[in-house]
Amino acid sequence: MTATADTAHPLLAESAAGHRRILTGDRPTGPLHLGHYFGTLQNRVQLQSQGLELMIVIPDYQVITDRDRADRLAEHVENLVLDYLAAGVDPARATIFTHSSVPALNQLMLPFLSLVSIAELSRNPTVKDEIAHSRQAAVSGLMFTYPVHQAADILFCKADLVPVGQDQLPHLELTRTVARRFNDRYAAVFPEPQALLSDAPLLLGTDAGKMSKSRGNAIALGADEDETARLLRGAVTDPDRRITYDPDNRPGVSNLLLLSALCQSRDPHEVAEEIGDGGAATLKRTTTEAVNEYFRPLRARRAELATDRALLRDILRTGSARANAIADRTLDEVRAAMGTC
């Protein structure tokens, strides 16, 4: 099994039945990692293979919601495109674009903000969490508009299916609220998008905490085999030599077993039984071999694509042109509905 396999998952096929357009994306704050791959990228490729239209926004404007400045933004944006292509996203069938390149998308923010209250924005749990972990000297007004900006991302293209994690459901519910209130107040312009909850197992970082680009506990998709081995050698385990899959009581050991199992299309209990009394060293060696074997084709393709940065920029230009055409049509509908033409 290669890292660009696109065999349709039966649950994804069932959830996506009857839908036509999906909106998803990643903030350009650093390289994507293995958790992103198994949590979202793999599913995007599978959904694309089922014939759904894939819209992938790189929300460069959102980077400044929780930090005072956006460092190395252009580089991060191009590297996201690189990760998408290496994972198997087909730019001929997917629209990849940035926030900043689609003015009409951002113009929807103003009428959308008029449809929600300050209280609704303030009690959004994701906003509360972002504020708690903000890298800003002071919380900006943009932070409170974050859920409405996401609503604009989804509704500008009339996406009717949005892959989200459980923690992102409040954002999607606010998007549905914005769509419903606009339709009730003006005219039926927007669908109320549905959530596509991933059944992908949650991968932890090498420290057995939440895997994150900013916490230094993730293995980037673009990491080479030596770096992967180094990071996995330093992964948190425990002193029990007998290897068992027990996520609640042995999170570090179980996370390595899960990663190894995902890369081998096996059950983590089976991998644990095979290692037995081999201890943490054997577990880490087994996981390293599985990860490097599985991601070797993706990394080779990524390295090849990285030599042509002009291609990445061309894909962004093409995707942004498509997104602009869609956004302009939607904004025209909004103006007509509001009587502002």
Side-chain angles (χ1 to χ4, degrees), residues 37-87:
Y37 177 80
F38 288 112
T40 61
L41 289 180
Q42 192 178 52
N43 286 349
R44 291 176 196 176
V45 176
Q46 292 172 355
L47 289 165
Q48 181 179 257
S49 73
Q50 295 171 34
L52 280 79
E53 184 181 358
L54 194 61
M55 305 286 293
I56 303 179
V57 58
I58 300 177
D60 48 354
Y61 277 165
Q62 284 185 9
V63 171
I64 55 174
T65 55
D66 62 350
R67 57 198 71 197
D68 291 323
R69 58 179 296 173
D71 294 320
R72 299 163 55 201
L73 191 54
E75 176 189 343
H76 289 324
V77 167
E78 288 185 12
N79 283 338
L80 281 183
V81 179
L82 192 55
D83 287 336
Y84 297 153
L85 301 183

Side-chain angles (χ1 to χ4, degrees), residues 8-339:
H9 191 293
L11 290 179
L12 282 179
E14 181 181 346
S15 299
H19 292 275
R20 64 181 184 86
R21 179 176 283 167
I22 291 178
L23 187 284
T24 185
D26 306 278
R27 293 209 303 171
T29 55
L32 297 185
H33 51 62
L34 305 194
H36 289 119
Y37 177 80
F38 288 112
T40 61
L41 289 180
Q42 192 178 52
N43 286 349
R44 291 176 196 176
V45 176
Q46 292 172 355
L47 289 165
Q48 181 179 257
S49 73
Q50 295 171 34
L52 280 79
E53 184 181 358
L54 194 61
M55 305 286 293
I56 303 179
V57 58
I58 300 177
D60 48 354
Y61 277 165
Q62 284 185 9
V63 171
I64 55 174
T65 55
D66 62 350
R67 57 198 71 197
D68 291 323
R69 58 179 296 173
D71 294 320
R72 299 163 55 201
L73 191 54
E75 176 189 343
H76 289 324
V77 167
E78 288 185 12
N79 283 338
L80 281 183
V81 179
L82 192 55
D83 287 336
Y84 297 153
L85 301 183
V89 171
D90 180 358
R93 294 189 287 165
T95 300
I96 306 171
F97 63 99
T98 60
H99 260 161
S100 58
S101 66
V102 188
L105 184 166
N106 296 294
Q107 279 185 264
L108 292 174
M109 278 276 287
L110 191 59
F112 286 178
L113 280 169
S114 74
L115 299 170
V116 297
S117 69
I118 293 175
E120 286 173 314
L121 295 175
S122 298
R123 64 172 174 257
N124 183 286
T126 308
V127 169
K128 290 181 179 179
D129 184 66
E130 291 288 346
I131 289 174
H133 296 90
S134 175
R135 298 184 186 182
Q136 291 177 316
V139 176
S140 71
L142 185 60
M143 176 70 78
F144 285 96
T145 70
Y146 184 48
V148 182
H149 208 159
Q150 288 202 323
D153 294 342
I154 297 166
L155 296 177
F156 96 94
C157 64
K158 300 185 180 180
D160 54 4
L161 192 64
V162 184
V164 293
Q166 193 74 32
D167 61 330
Q168 295 171 308
L169 284 176
H171 273 317
L172 186 60
E173 189 52 44
L174 187 69
T175 299
R176 290 167 52 81
T177 297
V178 168
R180 186 164 55 251
R181 289 176 182 172
F182 186 94
N183 294 344
D184 290 344
R185 183 175 297 182
Y186 299 109
V189 173
F190 299 108
E192 292 185 31
Q194 303 295 317
L196 176 59
L197 284 170
S198 172
D199 65 338
L202 177 65
L203 278 175
L204 302 177
T206 53
D207 59 357
K210 181 180 178 181
M211 187 178 291
S212 169
K213 289 182 282 190
S214 62
R215 297 183 184 183
N217 65 355
I219 300 172
L221 287 181
D224 62 27
E225 297 194 4
D226 289 341
E227 184 180 2
T228 298
R230 178 183 63 79
L231 291 168
L232 288 173
R233 277 197 302 271
V236 170
T237 53
D238 60 48
D240 191 342
R241 187 168 184 80
R242 179 72 184 178
I243 300 301
T244 58
Y245 185 66
D246 183 359
D248 291 334
N249 298 307
R250 307 185 70 186
V253 166
S254 298
N255 189 57
L256 292 177
L257 286 168
L258 176 59
L259 179 55
S260 180
L262 287 169
C263 291
Q264 298 177 75
S265 297
R266 299 172 69 188
D267 185 279
H269 293 92
E270 180 186 345
V271 179
E273 185 65 28
E274 188 174 276
I275 295 172
D277 293 323
T282 302
L283 170 61
K284 292 178 180 181
R285 183 172 62 252
T286 298
T287 304
T288 298
E289 290 172 356
V291 169
N292 283 337
E293 176 66 26
Y294 183 85
F295 284 98
R296 192 168 290 127
L298 183 152
R299 288 166 169 171
R301 176 165 168 75
R302 192 183 189 282
E304 180 182 354
L305 289 165
T307 63
D308 189 355
R309 309 298 288 197
L311 172 65
L312 307 179
R313 292 189 287 271
D314 185 60
I315 287 170
L316 281 169
R317 278 194 297 269
T318 301
S320 294
R322 291 180 197 160
N324 269 292
I326 294 169
D328 288 343
R329 287 196 299 270
T330 301
L331 187 58
D332 284 344
E333 289 184 68
V334 166
R335 286 169 172 159
M338 296 178 69

